[in-house]
Amino acid sequence: MNVPNRITISRILLIPIFILLLSYPFNWGTVTLFDQSLPVAQLMAVILFAVASATDWVDGYYARKYNLVTNLGKFLDPMADKLLVSAAFILLIQLELAPAWAVIVIISREFAVTGLRLVAAGEGVVMAAGQMGKLKTVLQILAIITLLLHNIPFAFIHVPVANILLYAAVLVTIISGVEYFVKNWHVMEDSK
């Protein structure tokens, strides 16, 4: 197994730890940032999420630079991303930091695009991610991080950046999903 695939698997293995940090009532106290208290376990989860999210860029860069792109990597990388982001958004609902409707929209788009990719793969068509899809991912990651941080440091200046990022992520998620289907609808017509 090559290095990029090992990095991707490490991202998948970090997901249960991330879930545990946000789900189990650890009593490790709180940390104060910008005059706001945050549970230590939640801060650790944010750091873990940020590291796991960064590994997505690292494994992709490494695979392309050294020509180590494999079918296993093509399967594992998007799955790892979807598992990590979906787990985070579902936990945000549990923590009452994000509305369920927004998370449903985001996760529904992922299911729909994955389904379209499966149909395309069955037809021998490879569908690359577009710029809107990449922007969607960045906005989702930033939204998750700022929501888990309770809008720190922006709460200090009374600007709801976490919510702005969340709604921007929802909007771009919808736009990128529609764009994806419009550009690739021929795959559905060809599979009749």
Side-chain angles (χ1 to χ4, degrees):
M1 181 177 306
N2 66 31
V3 172
N5 290 343
R6 288 181 184 170
I7 294 170
T8 302
I9 288 173
S10 73
R11 182 162 70 254
I12 293 170
L13 295 175
L14 290 175
I15 296 169
I17 300 167
F18 171 74
I19 293 169
L20 183 64
L21 286 169
L22 291 177
S23 299
Y24 187 79
F26 292 106
N27 191 11
W28 295 338
T30 60
V31 62
T32 302
L33 302 168
F34 295 93
D35 293 330
Q36 287 197 323
S37 293
L38 189 69
V40 170
Q42 195 161 334
L43 180 59
M44 291 173 64
V46 170
I47 293 167
L48 188 68
F49 178 82
V51 168
S53 297
T55 65
D56 180 32
W57 180 84
V58 172
D59 63 19
Y61 173 79
Y62 197 88
R64 286 185 298 276
K65 182 175 181 175
Y66 296 103
N67 198 25
L68 296 172
V69 177
T70 65
N71 286 336
L72 179 62
K74 289 178 188 176
F75 168 74
L76 285 178
D77 187 62
M79 183 184 72
D81 298 343
K82 287 171 183 30
L83 289 172
L84 178 64
V85 169
S86 296
F89 274 121
I90 291 166
L91 288 164
L92 285 170
I93 295 171
Q94 178 181 317
L95 297 169
E96 298 180 2
L97 296 173
W101 71 265
V103 174
I104 291 168
V105 167
I106 288 169
I107 292 175
S108 295
R109 183 263 187 211
E110 299 306 331
F111 277 119
V113 168
T114 298
L116 182 59
R117 281 181 187 240
L118 288 172
V119 171
E123 297 291 317
V125 176
V126 176
M127 298 167 45
Q131 291 302 316
M132 287 298 283
K134 292 175 183 178
L135 176 61
K136 167 212 59 121
T137 301
V138 169
L139 287 171
Q140 288 177 357
I141 290 168
L142 291 175
I144 290 165
I145 290 171
T146 54
L147 287 165
L148 286 173
L149 287 174
H150 298 264
N151 202 43
I152 295 171
F154 307 105
F156 185 70
I157 57 172
H158 306 292
V159 178
V161 171
N163 288 333
I164 292 168
L165 286 169
L166 175 63
Y167 297 126
V170 170
L171 180 62
V172 173
T173 295
I174 293 168
I175 293 169
S176 69
V178 169
E179 178 185 73
Y180 209 77
F181 271 85
V182 167
K183 284 183 178 178
N184 298 292
W185 189 251
H186 65 278
V187 171
M188 299 298 281
E189 293 172 346
D190 292 343
S191 64
K192 288 180 183 177

